[in-house]
C-alpha cells in the first residue's frame, strides 16, 4: 500500500500532466504546486468542470457540490490534498 507521501508525488504528477495537456500553461516550470489556477488564468469556470471530470474519472471519486471550493480545486496542491482526503 502506498503511503500518503508516495501518493502525493504520484497524484501531483498526474494532475500536472492533465493540466499541461488540457490547458494553456505558458511555462510549465513556473506551475508550482501552490499556484492558483484561477488567478493565473490557467482555468476558468468551465475548466473547473473539466478538472472535476478528471478527478472523478481518474480517481473514481464523486465531487459533491458542497466540495466545489477554491481550497479543493484551485491548485495542484489543493486538488491533491482533496483527492487524498476523499480516498481515505
Amino acid at each position: 500500500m502506498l503511503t500518503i507521501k508516495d501518493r502525493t508525488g504520484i497524484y501531483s504528477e498526474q494532475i500536472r500532466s492533465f493540466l499541461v495537456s488540457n490547458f494553456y500553461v505558458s511555462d510549465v516550470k513556473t506551475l508550482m504546486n501552490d499556484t492558483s489556477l484561477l488567478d493565473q488564468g490557467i482555468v476558468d469556470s468551465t475548466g473547473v468542470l473539466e478538472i472535476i471530470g478528471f478527478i472523478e474519472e481518474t480517481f473514481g471519486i464523486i465531487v459533491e457540490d458542497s466540495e466545489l471550493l477554491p481550497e479543493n480545486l484551485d491548485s495542484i496542491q489543493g486538488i491533491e490534498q482533496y483527492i487524498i482526503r476523499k480516498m481515505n
Side-chain angles (χ1 to χ4, degrees), residues 37-51:
L37 302 173
L38 292 167
D39 289 348
Q40 295 300 313
I42 296 170
V43 299
D44 56 13
S45 57
T46 304
V48 171
L49 296 176
E50 291 180 54
I51 291 171

Side-chain angles (χ1 to χ4, degrees), residues 12-61:
S12 65
E13 287 309 311
Q14 286 179 290
I15 296 162
R16 183 181 312 284
S17 178
F18 170 78
L19 293 171
V20 169
S21 297
N22 292 280
F23 300 98
Y24 176 72
V25 179
S26 60
D27 185 1
V28 176
K29 293 178 181 132
T30 64
L31 182 57
M32 300 291 122
N33 283 356
D34 62 349
T35 299
S36 170
L37 302 173
L38 292 167
D39 289 348
Q40 295 300 313
I42 296 170
V43 299
D44 56 13
S45 57
T46 304
V48 171
L49 296 176
E50 291 180 54
I51 291 171
I52 292 167
F54 162 75
I55 291 169
E56 291 182 340
E57 286 182 31
T58 304
F59 301 100
I61 58 177

Side-chain angles (χ1 to χ4, degrees), residues 65-80:
D65 290 345
S66 62
E67 299 168 330
L68 300 177
L69 305 168
E71 56 265 23
N72 291 339
L73 302 170
D74 189 35
S75 67
I76 293 171
Q77 182 178 15
I79 296 167
E80 172 183 76

